[in-house]
Amino acid sequence: MSKRTLALIAATIVSIIYGMTFTIAKDVMPNYVQAYGFIIMRVGGSAILFWLVWLFSRISKDVRDEKIDRADYLRIFWAAFFGVALNMLAFFKGLSLTSPISASVLMVSTPIIVLVLSAIILKERMQKRMVFGIVLGLIGTAFLILYGKSSGNATNPTLGNFLVFINATSYGLYLVIVKKLMDKYNPFNFAKWIYLIGFIMVLPFGWNQFQAVDWTSMPMDIYWKIGFVVVFSTFGTYMLNLLSMRELKPTTVAVFVYLQPVFATVFAISLGKDELTLVKIVSAILIFTGVYLVTQKKG
């Protein structure tokens, strides 16, 4: 199996996990943990995991000791800001105000943002096939937007949807920034700094909400869902994204966001919270076709 195929599989797994996360995180917020308090758990827990993995890899000598250039610390700072702090603050607050389906659908604006940023910052040339694939994915997503109904627990969908769009923009910029770090360093050597700096950034916003959590009255399944978000939705997806970006362009990685509404719907159906319709089938076909066109190498 080629490295590119492994990278595509990794990107698909990330989309599956993210598709599940919309519903799982919504079960936690805001009844048991407020949005910013949840971010403290997510970023803090992931930072600990990254530092533990890095220490273990240093002891086992799996990762060489690279010195990060002083000029690249500024890039790491901005990666932490856009990829962790602003990204998660906007997403979790937005998700707490809108519905999971609306949030997952809005995330599909990320490939368009990355497409523009990559052309400006990385000077990438977009092939007609890739542009067509992105447009096809947007058409498929439009069907989901027209079909999607509110889950009934969206307290402020307008503000929530706007914050999710801010999150998508922030994540798109992060993908472009971190690509240059990926080309230069081993991911473990800068990922630990990105999450540590990101944790310091989000700490003032979520500390009071984190302290207000009533751990004694929290059901066991909520503990498991928090653990899923920390270990899989944050730490695991970050590592899989790093693997993907070693072989794929930021625009290719970003287009996998189109799969999130599909997997979010499949997850909801598996829990008996939704049903399969012709509109969803057509949407899935269009979205997967768009992803295929964008990810294929030039013949």
Side-chain angles (χ1 to χ4, degrees):
M1 188 177 293
S2 68
K3 291 183 179 180
R4 179 178 173 81
T5 301
L6 288 174
L8 293 172
I9 292 174
T12 303
I13 294 174
V14 168
S15 294
I16 294 174
I17 294 175
Y18 279 154
M20 298 171 63
T21 301
F22 288 103
T23 299
I24 293 174
K26 186 69 175 178
D27 289 342
V28 178
M29 303 180 300
N31 293 332
Y32 299 99
V33 183
Q34 293 296 314
Y36 291 164
F38 199 177
I39 292 174
I40 294 293
M41 302 178 194
R42 183 178 185 180
V43 180
S46 298
I48 293 173
L49 289 176
F50 278 114
W51 277 90
L52 287 176
V53 170
W54 177 78
L55 288 173
F56 179 79
S57 63
R58 292 293 299 123
I59 294 174
S60 61
K61 298 182 180 180
D62 290 334
V63 177
R64 67 182 187 277
D65 189 15
E66 296 175 320
K67 184 179 180 181
I68 298 176
D69 294 339
R70 182 175 299 180
D72 288 328
Y73 277 106
L74 181 60
R75 186 177 297 276
I76 289 175
F77 172 85
W78 287 117
F81 177 75
F82 289 111
V84 178
L86 180 60
N87 175 28
M88 293 191 186
L89 287 171
F91 173 71
F92 269 54
K93 186 62 176 179
L95 181 58
S96 70
L97 298 174
T98 189
S99 67
I101 292 178
S102 296
S104 65
V105 167
L106 279 168
M107 282 300 295
V108 301
S109 59
T110 299
I112 302 299
I113 296 167
V114 174
L115 186 70
V116 175
L117 292 174
S118 294
I120 295 174
I121 299 175
L122 300 181
K123 310 299 181 183
E124 284 189 7
R125 296 184 63 183
M126 297 296 105
Q127 301 173 19
K128 292 181 180 179
R129 169 182 48 79
M130 296 179 65
V131 175
F132 179 69
I134 289 176
V135 171
L136 202 61
L138 282 175
I139 293 174
T141 302
F143 279 98
L144 285 181
I145 293 175
L146 294 173
Y147 174 85
K149 299 178 181 178
S150 174
S151 62
N153 58 349
T155 57
N156 192 341
T158 301
L159 177 59
N161 291 338
F162 174 74
L163 290 173
V164 173
F165 177 75
I166 294 297
N167 156 62
T169 304
S170 178
Y171 181 69
L173 188 54
Y174 157 77
L175 287 178
V176 176
I177 292 173
V178 81
K179 176 62 177 176
K180 290 191 175 182
L181 293 173
M182 284 292 306
D183 294 338
K184 195 172 182 179
Y185 304 107
N186 184 287
F188 286 109
N189 287 329
F190 64 83
K192 65 183 188 298
W193 289 112
I194 287 179
Y195 268 81
L196 179 60
I197 295 171
F199 177 71
I200 295 172
M201 289 178 177
V202 302
L203 195 59
F205 294 91
W207 181 247
N208 288 336
Q209 293 185 3
F210 176 75
Q211 286 186 312
V213 175
D214 186 0
W215 299 98
T216 58
S217 63
M218 189 179 295
M220 182 56 65
D221 68 303
I222 299 299
Y223 280 102
W224 283 107
K225 289 175 180 178
I226 292 174
F228 177 90
V229 172
V230 172
V231 177
F232 293 101
S233 303
T234 311
F235 176 78
T237 56
Y238 190 92
M239 297 310 302
L240 289 172
N241 267 331
L242 291 179
L243 173 63
S244 300
M245 293 188 68
R246 281 198 172 278
E247 302 297 329
L248 307 174
K249 293 181 179 180
T251 47
T252 304
V253 175
V255 81
F256 276 84
V257 174
Y258 282 151
L259 298 178
Q260 292 183 22
V262 178
F263 290 129
T265 301
V266 171
F267 185 62
I269 291 173
S270 67
L271 295 178
K273 296 182 179 180
D274 209 336
E275 59 182 5
L276 190 63
T277 65
L278 179 61
V279 173
K280 292 180 180 178
I281 294 174
V282 173
S283 299
I285 293 173
L286 289 172
I287 291 171
F288 276 101
T289 302
V291 172
Y292 174 80
L293 290 174
V294 172
T295 56
Q296 289 303 296
K297 283 187 174 182
K298 188 175 182 179

